[in-house]
Amino acid sequence: MMRLWIALACVAVLAACGTTPVNLAYELDLAKKAIADAREADAERCAPELLADAESSALWAAHELAEGFIHPGVTRPLIDSVLASAKEAQRTAEEKCPKLPPVVIPEPVDIDWSAPPPPPPPEPDPEVIQLAPQEIIVLEGVNFEVNSTELTPSSLTTLDKVVNTLTRRTDIRVEVSAHTDSTGSGAYNLKLSERRAASALRYLVEHGVDPAQLEAKGYGEARPIDDNATKAGRAKNRRVELHVLNEQ
Amino acid sequence: MRRRLLIGVLLSCMLPLWHAQAEEAIDNAAASIIASVEGKNDFHAHMARKLAAIAIHERRDRDREDAREFINMASQHAEQAQGQEEQESP
């Protein structure tokens, strides 16, 4: 029986401790933290009434606690009200005044206005053909007479540009490819294209291109680029190309 | 002896009157503060109204010391609300 009374007494003491001023003070501190969070969210500007509600209630609760727990029935509801108002103020402020990402102002760039302007990019040399790796360039104007390996005089201007290019760009290798139209047998056309490729290559070497940069190949009629049924198409198919192989 | 007793009786009769005057002063101060921030909706105006209301509540609980303290705080916030209005006007 005695043990039961002791146990009941302990329960009563513990229950009484549940609402001590110490606990209320701790809860008030938590509520003040909620007010600080609301202020951080700019509640003073965006939810002034709710924040004022929370702050005034917090002041009142602090007074009640300072009086030594005289009105316990008033203090706890006050602290609960502080917490609720502060959280509502924070939520409202975040909704009404969402924080924008900070504006990053770039560092000022010092421009030396007295310095001369940068030189303009060099204009492309009309006597040089611009070559890129793996590129295929049809040498416009390089033609042959029908069934002939002799270069026409109009072809020489284009081939001179190739000479200019390859003597300046000794770092690249090219394949000189010759093609025919479909007139005649395939075997004949293949041989003819090989001779035309060799003819173009010979011209380039004779005019100063390193033979190590060059490779000649005939494709015959196998790779037409236009219709062999028309005269204009056949003229286009009789052509010489430069295949940029790689950089040496 | 009789004179002292008479003075004591008189003083004890006057005490409720003094209390009533003090309470009336608190109510008047609260009403004045609330009137001064009427129509304002900034934080300080709201604080002034709420602290004045707490002061009246404390006065009704016969806690005049606290009531005066809340009136003082309310008055400070009312001044800040006035100051803010002056800053915002061109």
Side-chain angles (χ1 to χ4, degrees):
Chain A
M1 190 63 187
M2 190 62 182
R3 283 183 183 173
L4 181 65
W5 281 113
I6 291 169
L8 284 172
C10 287
V11 168
V13 167
L14 287 172
C17 287
T19 52
T20 57
V22 176
N23 283 357
L24 288 172
Y26 174 69
E27 285 173 28
L28 183 59
D29 281 345
L30 292 180
K32 284 179 179 172
K33 171 78 172 53
I35 290 174
D37 290 344
R39 278 192 173 277
E40 187 73 20
D42 207 5
E44 185 169 334
R45 188 170 61 89
C46 304
E49 188 169 7
L50 285 165
L51 185 67
D53 204 12
E55 289 230 355
S56 57
S57 298
L59 285 169
W60 198 0
H63 258 270
E64 294 294 326
L65 280 175
E67 282 176 355
F69 202 46
I70 293 171
H71 307 296
V74 175
T75 312
R76 182 173 291 283
L78 270 177
I79 294 171
D80 291 344
S81 146
V82 172
L83 203 58
S85 297
K87 283 185 176 174
E88 183 64 16
Q90 184 181 0
R91 195 183 59 76
T92 307
E94 283 169 351
E95 272 180 16
K96 281 188 180 174
C97 311
K99 282 193 174 172
L100 298 172
V103 177
V104 179
I105 300 169
E107 290 288 320
V109 178
D110 289 330
I111 299 173
D112 184 4
W113 296 104
S114 62
E123 287 187 13
D125 186 345
E127 296 302 310
V128 174
I129 299 167
Q130 301 300 317
L131 298 174
Q134 311 301 322
E135 193 177 8
I136 298 173
I137 298 164
V138 178
L139 297 177
E140 299 286 348
V142 177
N143 303 113
F144 298 88
E145 297 296 342
V146 178
N147 287 330
S148 168
T149 60
E150 289 298 314
L151 290 158
T152 58
S154 61
S155 306
L156 303 181
T157 311
T158 308
L159 286 174
D160 286 341
K161 285 187 184 179
V162 175
V163 170
N164 277 338
T165 306
L166 293 179
T167 50
R168 290 183 192 187
R169 293 288 308 275
T170 55
D171 56 323
I172 57 172
R173 288 183 71 239
V174 295
E175 177 190 280
V176 181
S177 315
H179 304 263
T180 67
D181 60 27
S182 62
T183 310
S185 72
Y188 174 77
N189 284 336
L190 184 61
K191 287 285 178 193
L192 179 64
S193 67
E194 285 171 353
R195 290 204 303 276
R196 282 176 171 172
S199 174
L201 185 144
R202 191 166 50 249
Y203 181 88
L204 297 175
V205 171
E206 282 173 0
H207 286 81
V209 178
D210 183 355
Q213 288 180 263
L214 300 170
E215 195 174 302
K217 191 163 185 181
Y219 288 92
E221 61 185 64
R223 295 184 180 181
I225 57 172
D226 209 332
D227 188 3
N228 274 311
T230 65
K231 190 178 176 183
R234 286 195 298 276
K236 279 191 176 179
N237 288 335
R238 293 192 301 272
R239 69 195 189 277
V240 174
E241 294 170 347
L242 280 187
H243 292 209
V244 180
L245 297 174
N246 54 13
E247 295 188 359
Q248 278 186 327
Chain B
M1 183 66 187
R2 276 185 186 174
R3 191 178 290 170
R4 283 183 184 174
L5 188 64
L6 185 64
I7 289 169
V9 168
L10 276 173
L11 282 174
S12 63
C13 288
M14 285 176 75
L15 267 176
L17 184 66
W18 289 341
H19 285 178
Q21 280 179 341
E23 286 173 3
E24 199 181 327
I26 289 166
D27 282 356
N28 288 342
S32 165
I33 287 166
I34 290 168
S36 74
V37 293
E38 196 177 347
K40 294 193 181 101
N41 283 311
D42 62 277
F43 170 74
H44 292 294
H46 284 299
M47 278 297 280
R49 273 192 284 272
K50 286 175 194 296
L51 290 171
I54 292 170
I56 292 169
H57 192 283
E58 289 291 312
R59 194 272 300 157
R60 282 177 191 156
D61 281 351
R62 310 284 172 200
D63 197 345
R64 280 192 302 279
E65 278 302 308
D66 274 5
R68 280 198 202 97
E69 205 167 324
F70 279 107
I71 284 289
N72 287 340
M73 286 193 278
S75 158
Q76 284 169 10
H77 279 285
E79 277 173 22
Q80 282 180 283
Q82 299 285 353
Q84 253 183 7
E85 190 187 42
E86 279 166 19
Q87 272 185 352
E88 283 166 8
S89 61

